[in-house]
Amino acid sequence: MSSSHDEVARLLSLVPYLRAHPGVAISKAAEDFQVPEARIVRDLKTLWMCGLPGGLPDDLIDVDMDAVDNEGTITIGNADALPRPMRLTPDEAWSLLAALQLVADLAGPSVRPAVQSAARKLREVGPQIGPDPVEATADAGADPRRDWFARAAAKGWRVRLRHRRQDAEETTSPVVDPVRVEVREGRSYLLGWSLERSDWRTWRLDRIERADRIGEAADHGEPPQSVEWFGTVPASDEVTLTLAPGAEWVAEYHPTRRVERTEKGLRVTFAVASRAWLADLLIGLGPDVLDVDPPRAAGEAVRMLRAAARANGLDAGEH
């Protein structure tokens, strides 16, 4: 089975090939590209929707599909613009440069030099509008742990972490087979196989206090494209809120584990990795929170409200 990389490479090669061989038989093109004839026909239907920005008929590549269907030959037109060197407007050049800067910030050590080289070349040939007109960065910080874990994944290391959960002083020591470092909303995460849980998990890099190589990683198959954000939060840290109708938006805005409608209100169960986050949520929702289970989960919110009341000279009360 061909990969998406192979598909794109063949499509890019097919256009100049067809321009150099007008009227070529489908069978001959399939033989030259070493793919089935049906694959060439599907490629032609894809090229039919490609071309210059705008998407109007005169902007798109013209494929004579009647000749394809009736005669088994291929003729394309309106593709003369493709061999010409691309000319970028200033806005297009700086948008591309900003994208390259973000990719360089997020890329692993094996990819970053190529991305930085492309950005340098773009600066050299791009239209100059003053010094350094674009500066973009992903808000993930230059954390050296990213490069270390990227190298660990590339070399197939097994590592033991010392990981600190948010709002908790204690640490855990999971044994992990790393596979990649990824960034979500400006934070770097390690994705790997947890030997303790026999499943894929993520760990936030800025909460990893130490990592030691302890052996060689095993093959656990293809990792998922994404892992549940709070998959490592145990059931003991779940909190269920019963919400009034005015707060039902919370179930759509925040990751949940269970949602059920009851006569009393919408019951929403969260995996709570941060007591401070839960306290802020409860305070913000106020009277729209009808019930908290377990009740002790509301303790931090109650403490914060009492402190605010005392600071403003109000009677905080005890209940």
Side-chain angles (χ1 to χ4, degrees):
M1 181 178 294
S2 61
S3 66
S4 57
H5 180 275
D6 296 332
E7 301 286 332
V8 173
R10 186 179 61 254
L11 284 170
L12 292 175
S13 301
L14 190 57
V15 173
Y17 171 87
L18 295 176
R19 292 183 73 250
H21 301 83
V24 67
I26 296 175
S27 57
K28 173 60 175 173
E31 178 184 348
D32 289 344
F33 282 90
Q34 298 182 341
V35 294
E37 293 183 22
R39 177 70 266 180
I40 293 294
V41 174
R42 287 197 294 270
D43 288 346
L44 293 173
K45 293 179 179 179
T46 299
L47 290 176
W48 209 6
M49 304 304 295
C50 299
L52 298 175
L56 298 175
D58 288 342
D59 298 321
L60 302 178
I61 296 174
D62 183 20
V63 181
D64 188 347
M65 295 305 296
D66 288 337
V68 170
D69 295 335
N70 300 325
E71 303 171 15
T73 61
I74 309 171
T75 301
I76 68 170
N78 204 33
D80 295 339
L82 296 180
R84 295 200 300 263
M86 179 178 291
R87 288 177 170 82
L88 301 176
T89 66
D91 287 345
E92 291 171 338
W94 301 137
S95 296
L96 181 57
L97 180 59
L100 287 170
Q101 290 174 352
L102 292 174
V103 171
D105 192 30
L106 305 180
S110 61
V111 176
R112 192 175 299 123
V115 177
Q116 292 172 336
S117 174
R120 282 196 302 271
K121 292 176 181 177
L122 184 60
R123 279 195 176 94
E124 292 172 0
V125 302
Q128 291 296 324
I129 310 177
D132 298 327
V134 172
E135 182 175 351
T137 181
D139 187 26
D143 192 335
R145 284 171 287 201
R146 287 182 16 212
D147 288 347
W148 193 91
F149 282 112
R151 185 168 66 253
K155 293 183 176 294
W157 295 351
R158 174 167 292 176
V159 301
R160 185 185 302 278
L161 309 179
R162 187 167 72 196
H163 182 260
R164 172 181 51 80
R165 288 183 52 199
Q166 183 175 352
D167 298 331
E169 295 183 0
E170 69 272 11
T171 60
T172 59
S173 301
V175 176
V176 179
D177 289 347
V179 293
R180 67 173 179 260
V181 175
E182 56 190 27
V183 175
R184 302 179 182 181
E185 297 185 1
R187 300 286 186 180
S188 294
Y189 291 82
L190 172 67
L191 172 65
W193 181 267
S194 167
L195 273 71
E196 176 186 7
R197 297 180 179 273
S198 298
D199 202 357
W200 299 104
R201 290 290 186 266
T202 58
W203 295 264
R204 217 171 94 173
L205 254 62
D206 61 357
R207 295 184 189 146
I208 297 177
E209 298 179 348
R210 181 183 177 90
D212 297 294
R213 179 185 176 186
I214 61 172
E216 303 300 320
D219 183 5
H220 304 287
E222 189 70 19
Q225 290 297 317
S226 61
V227 174
E228 181 189 356
W229 273 83
F230 300 104
T232 58
V233 177
S236 59
D237 285 344
E238 290 183 351
V239 174
T240 300
L241 306 182
T242 303
L243 303 174
E248 291 185 358
W249 59 269
V250 172
E252 299 179 0
Y253 188 80
H254 296 286
T256 62
R257 285 192 171 172
R258 290 182 299 279
V259 177
E260 57 180 325
R261 188 170 295 281
T262 67
E263 293 183 358
K264 190 176 180 181
L266 193 69
R267 285 176 54 87
V268 184
T269 300
F270 302 93
V272 178
S274 166
R275 291 189 293 270
W277 171 85
L278 178 62
D280 288 342
L281 180 65
L282 293 175
I283 293 171
L285 294 176
D288 282 335
V289 179
L290 305 178
D291 185 61
V292 180
D293 183 26
R296 66 176 183 277
E300 180 66 12
V302 172
R303 185 194 66 77
M304 292 171 63
L305 288 171
R306 285 176 176 167
R310 286 193 296 269
N312 288 276
L314 302 176
D315 182 9
E318 295 298 329
H319 301 285

